[in-house]
Amino acid sequence: MGDKEKLLIFESEETGDKVLANMKSTSKIPWYFATGFLFFWGLLFFAIVIPFFNRLPTARTLDDADKHVFIAERAYKNLYTLSNIGYKLTGSKENEIEAVQFLLNELADIKEASLKDLFDMEIDLSQASGSYPYKNLLNMYQGVQNIAVKLTPKNCTAETYLLVNSHFDSKPFTPSAGDAGFMIVTMLEVLRVIATTRETFQHPIVFLFNGAEEDMMQASHGFITQHKWAPKCKAVINLEGVGGGGREVLFQSGPNHSWLLNYYKKYVKYPFATVVAEEIFQSGVIPSDSDFTQFRKYGNIPGLDIIQLTNGYIYHTIYDVIDEIPREALQNSGDNILSLVRGFANATELHNTKAHMDGNSVFFDFLGLCFIHYSEKTGIFLNFGAAAAAFILIYISMWRMAAVSQVSFCHVACWFTLVFIIQVVSFVLGLALPLIVAYVMDMFGQSLTHYSTTLLLLGLYVCPSIIGLSLPSTIYYAFQPSTKIPKGYHLQLALHGQAVILGLLVVSLTAFGLRSTYIIIIPLVFYVLSLAFNLLTVLHDRGYAWTGLLKASQIIPFLHTTYIVYILLVALIPICARSGSASNKDLYIAAVTALGTVLSFGFLVPLINIVRRPSLVVFSLLVISALSIYLASSTQIGFPFRPKTSGQRVAYLQVRNKFYEYDGTLSKDESGYLFNFQDRRKESTFVEANVNLTGLYSIKSKCEKQMMCGMPLYDYRYESNRLQSKFLPRTNPIEPPAETKLELISKTVQNPTTVRYEFNLTGPSHMSLFIQAYEDVEISNWSFLRSYLDNPPPYPLSYHIYFVYGIDNSPLNFFLEFTKPDGDFEVPVFQLGVSGHYIELEGDAESQEFASTFPSFGILATWPVLYQRFIF
């Protein structure tokens, strides 16, 4: 039997059966050791995961310029100049002239300093006009600008280029230091280093500085569909920003080109990547997009999509300033991108990327120390193999328990079935309790309480999840009757139950095609390894002796799981306060936190049952949760918003609505403020801050009766959130700062059933057209993109043409053709709405006074709009 001097046979007092146990190893330890046990894992998170997440290299200064390396100080100076230009809205003087001129001057300096005996450098400033369907609207642009720079080695004959892209334009009211000035100056410095270093490469590199990304990626669409160099670009490194500072994360790769990750692993100095982020982004949970989509969709170009995600609170706000950007972050990104560009510029795969399509990959880094990737096919074998190994070893363990305990295998299997059911209940409760907390808090108007005080997540979601994991097993072991199987074995059966749950999840999610399943595989594999070692030794049968190896084996899975969860929370928490008020986004945060807790502690929490009175641990967690809920709901700690650091976004339009009837008479003229609430709290915080919102009402009923709710819905975000939008009328009319003019040039009957209308539209740089035919009329043709006409939006039949001009502000000329069976065109045929958005202006005095009444934590995005509805 082995080690008989320590293994004793004793007789059960109740049954008289002989039971084998290690008396010394099964004696329980004081309850407070469980507190220390949980504290140890918390300490690992705060002492290792967070510091490694925030780790950055030392920034290089101009003293290192002769070393031909990325110089953060020089990039920082460029960022200072670029961000100080101000708001770089497409169509504005700041974007179309000042930003363009700054970039051209810098590029001219780089060209002058370049090694002309090694490289040819060509700078091309171009304009693009075009359109494409996006979401439920037609995105149309005119005269947007691109600055493309091609760096070619002398005597290079390669006809395949590497494309590196970012954008210099901005959303309204933001200096855009992080989005994406950070990446623009990084590109400038990378280009400077490559062009002035005697290190050649195989493929020409095209650096694209595009001037219209924020209006649904217009400039990148113009480049990839129209530019002379676009057909030769065979791979892309897209650089984007959704925050300020920190490390840049690889969150999209490919698709179907795993060789890209070979270069990422080989050349990137500070890896930061996870396929979990890629799959979440591609699922549509995150309401955003990047130029990478345009290159992939319209150019069929594979590549890497890399973003800055730290401090998303300042994204698209007035606080996205250079002070939020540490030089060390520039150094981190610069070192990575410089090395990566050099690697790709020598990639043999660029000669024929289609020949290297080999499927998607699983990829992730571990604390930034190493990068791991493997093909999706390998992942499938690994996942099924790990699950099978777990099932086999659990069977062997149960057989061993039966043999050592001198009972039948069926007896052990029956107890395992009971314990497995308890573990399933624990697993479900671990996931469900945080969701219940999030749901109940939202029901009482207390959503987003963790937004500014993220430590509340520990009490709101982590502790309830651990309670859910621990409570069923704690109750079970407290009332467990004496059995023929030692308690040490019963505890092992609980962990086996957790392993079976994970194994079944792995099989199911792998069959579903989810590459993020790897995050479940890691704790499962390390549990299997510890179980195998314990089975190969006598530790498996020595009471609780096996727990030491188990705890040690879960350190790496714990670090990795909490690292990934922390990344997701850093990205998602700011997003959840700007992605609309229609649903409770706290459920997303609760779900991510709960899943991370269950995976991190699933093999650890049952071990609290080796201490005396484990119920005290559960009670302590319950007290922490109750205290956190109180702090979140009843004190300022739980108030979501803070001035400057984590403000509340206030998006509203200063609207003047004019409705003209068929005979040209003005039937309606109203003014007010159209609110598009971006977070779940809506107007409640403003009412509490004494902002006068008397008369505010929902426009939902208007959406059921009028074309596009009878409002100048700005873009697809306003459209998607229209049923939650509200309107605040005002008595004094809003005077449009300029004229948005629609002129009917001609009305021509083409044939007995078809009529053609020709129009001329002039106005600001951002305008929209809304078109809706009457019931017996069909739009048969127009001058806009035909595919959008053939695939109308799903609600109600209203076409939205979103129009932006850049440097070219010439009038928009268009025609519409309608078909009507009876050929009577002397009656109303269609409605046409025109909105002109004067985004660069503050509005009239009354609007400015109203804006000043908002609290200091409010971040306003507001401008005047003239909306005119015509009937023709």
Side-chain angles (χ1 to χ4, degrees), residues 469-688:
L469 282 174
S470 59
L471 187 60
S473 60
T474 301
I475 295 173
Y476 168 73
Y477 287 116
F479 294 98
Q480 178 191 6
S482 299
T483 69
K484 298 177 182 180
I485 304 175
K487 290 186 180 294
Y489 283 162
H490 268 282
L491 193 56
Q492 286 196 59
L493 289 177
L495 299 183
H496 291 350
Q498 174 74 7
V500 170
I501 293 171
L502 295 188
L504 293 174
L505 277 176
V506 164
V507 171
S508 302
L509 296 177
T510 302
F512 185 72
L514 200 65
R515 287 173 286 145
S516 298
T517 306
Y518 88 88
I519 198 173
I520 302 176
I521 277 292
I522 293 177
L524 181 62
V525 165
F526 278 86
Y527 177 74
V528 167
L529 292 175
S530 68
L531 177 58
F533 186 86
N534 283 326
L535 284 169
L536 291 172
T537 64
V538 296
L539 294 176
H540 179 272
D541 308 309
R542 288 188 174 183
Y544 298 130
W546 50 270
T547 62
L549 182 60
L550 171 70
K551 288 181 279 189
S553 72
Q554 288 301 304
I555 290 177
I556 290 178
F558 177 86
L559 291 175
H560 178 262
T561 302
T562 54
Y563 176 68
I564 294 297
V565 170
Y566 187 69
I567 293 170
L568 296 179
L569 291 177
V570 166
L572 289 176
I573 288 175
I575 289 174
C576 288
R578 63 172 186 263
S579 55
S581 58
S583 60
N584 177 16
K585 302 303 189 298
D586 282 10
L587 293 173
Y588 297 164
I589 303 300
V592 170
T593 307
L595 181 61
T597 304
V598 168
L599 294 179
S600 301
F601 288 99
F603 289 116
L604 299 171
V605 164
L607 299 182
I608 67 172
N609 290 287
I610 68 176
V611 305
R612 302 187 190 102
R613 303 177 70 183
S615 58
L616 289 177
V617 178
V618 178
F619 179 75
S620 299
L621 293 170
L622 188 61
V623 170
I624 295 173
S625 294
L627 178 61
S628 298
I629 291 173
Y630 168 76
L631 293 174
S633 60
S634 304
T635 71
Q636 278 298 110
I637 294 175
F639 184 74
F641 308 111
R642 306 286 187 273
K644 297 184 180 181
T645 57
S646 50
Q648 183 176 20
R649 296 162 190 261
V650 189
Y652 67 92
L653 305 177
Q654 305 161 29
V655 175
R656 176 76 175 270
N657 287 332
K658 291 186 174 183
F659 285 66
Y660 295 92
E661 300 304 317
Y662 181 66
D663 60 3
T665 60
L666 181 64
S667 61
K668 183 179 181 180
D669 187 352
E670 67 175 354
S671 294
Y673 308 114
L674 176 63
F675 284 85
N676 176 32
F677 296 110
Q678 299 187 36
D679 66 83
R680 192 68 167 170
R681 292 282 181 118
K682 302 180 183 178
E683 73 272 17
S684 62
T685 54
F686 308 134
V687 173
E688 293 171 3

Side-chain angles (χ1 to χ4, degrees), residues 175-249:
S176 62
D179 177 29
F182 182 104
M183 291 303 187
I184 287 291
V185 300
T186 298
M187 285 172 56
L188 284 173
E189 184 62 14
V190 167
L191 173 59
R192 188 192 310 272
V193 174
I194 294 177
T196 57
T197 303
R198 305 195 71 83
E199 182 178 332
T200 190
F201 42 89
Q202 296 182 23
H203 303 276
I205 308 169
V206 175
F207 291 85
L208 175 60
F209 304 85
N210 85 69
E213 187 269 350
E214 296 294 2
D215 288 300
M216 295 165 280
M217 297 84 63
Q218 294 170 338
S220 57
H221 177 271
F223 175 85
I224 203 62
T225 58
Q226 302 169 36
H227 199 275
K228 58 185 178 181
W229 295 336
K232 296 181 180 180
C233 295
K234 300 303 179 183
V236 61
I237 300 173
N238 185 60
L239 306 173
E240 184 56 274
V242 294
R247 296 186 294 156
E248 79 290 343
V249 61

Side-chain angles (χ1 to χ4, degrees), residues 554-829:
Q554 288 301 304
I555 290 177
I556 290 178
F558 177 86
L559 291 175
H560 178 262
T561 302
T562 54
Y563 176 68
I564 294 297
V565 170
Y566 187 69
I567 293 170
L568 296 179
L569 291 177
V570 166
L572 289 176
I573 288 175
I575 289 174
C576 288
R578 63 172 186 263
S579 55
S581 58
S583 60
N584 177 16
K585 302 303 189 298
D586 282 10
L587 293 173
Y588 297 164
I589 303 300
V592 170
T593 307
L595 181 61
T597 304
V598 168
L599 294 179
S600 301
F601 288 99
F603 289 116
L604 299 171
V605 164
L607 299 182
I608 67 172
N609 290 287
I610 68 176
V611 305
R612 302 187 190 102
R613 303 177 70 183
S615 58
L616 289 177
V617 178
V618 178
F619 179 75
S620 299
L621 293 170
L622 188 61
V623 170
I624 295 173
S625 294
L627 178 61
S628 298
I629 291 173
Y630 168 76
L631 293 174
S633 60
S634 304
T635 71
Q636 278 298 110
I637 294 175
F639 184 74
F641 308 111
R642 306 286 187 273
K644 297 184 180 181
T645 57
S646 50
Q648 183 176 20
R649 296 162 190 261
V650 189
Y652 67 92
L653 305 177
Q654 305 161 29
V655 175
R656 176 76 175 270
N657 287 332
K658 291 186 174 183
F659 285 66
Y660 295 92
E661 300 304 317
Y662 181 66
D663 60 3
T665 60
L666 181 64
S667 61
K668 183 179 181 180
D669 187 352
E670 67 175 354
S671 294
Y673 308 114
L674 176 63
F675 284 85
N676 176 32
F677 296 110
Q678 299 187 36
D679 66 83
R680 192 68 167 170
R681 292 282 181 118
K682 302 180 183 178
E683 73 272 17
S684 62
T685 54
F686 308 134
V687 173
E688 293 171 3
N690 297 319
V691 178
N692 186 5
L693 297 178
T694 304
L696 186 72
Y697 67 88
S698 171
I699 68 168
K700 184 176 181 179
S701 60
K702 289 188 175 184
C703 296
E704 299 170 356
K705 301 174 183 177
Q706 301 181 32
M707 177 181 67
M708 284 295 182
C709 309
M711 292 287 174
L713 303 179
Y714 174 54
D715 58 10
Y716 73 90
R717 292 182 177 87
Y718 270 79
E719 286 189 22
S720 62
N721 203 40
R722 68 194 185 284
L723 300 182
Q724 284 71 45
S725 296
K726 296 185 178 182
F727 188 73
L728 178 65
R730 81 176 215 184
T731 304
N732 297 323
I734 293 175
E735 292 298 331
E739 186 177 23
T740 301
K741 184 178 180 181
L742 177 73
E743 182 181 358
L744 175 62
I745 304 299
S746 65
K747 174 184 176 182
T748 308
V749 177
Q750 302 288 91
N751 56 55
T753 60
T754 303
V755 65
R756 178 182 177 121
Y757 296 83
E758 295 189 15
F759 296 95
N760 177 283
L761 176 64
T762 57
S765 61
H766 290 67
M767 295 183 284
S768 283
L769 295 171
F770 306 105
I771 307 166
Q772 181 173 312
Y774 283 104
E775 290 184 4
D776 58 341
V777 180
E778 177 185 353
I779 305 176
S780 56
N781 195 13
W782 63 11
S783 56
F784 305 119
L785 190 67
R786 179 74 200 192
S787 62
Y788 181 61
L789 178 63
D790 295 336
N791 297 279
Y795 63 85
L797 192 53
S798 301
Y799 295 92
H800 182 178
I801 315 297
Y802 179 85
F803 177 70
V804 176
Y805 66 71
I807 192 70
D808 179 6
N809 62 354
S810 57
L812 174 64
N813 297 301
F814 63 96
F815 71 82
L816 304 170
E817 289 186 2
F818 298 88
T819 300
K820 190 179 181 186
D822 63 7
D824 183 6
F825 297 113
E826 299 304 319
V827 295
V829 175

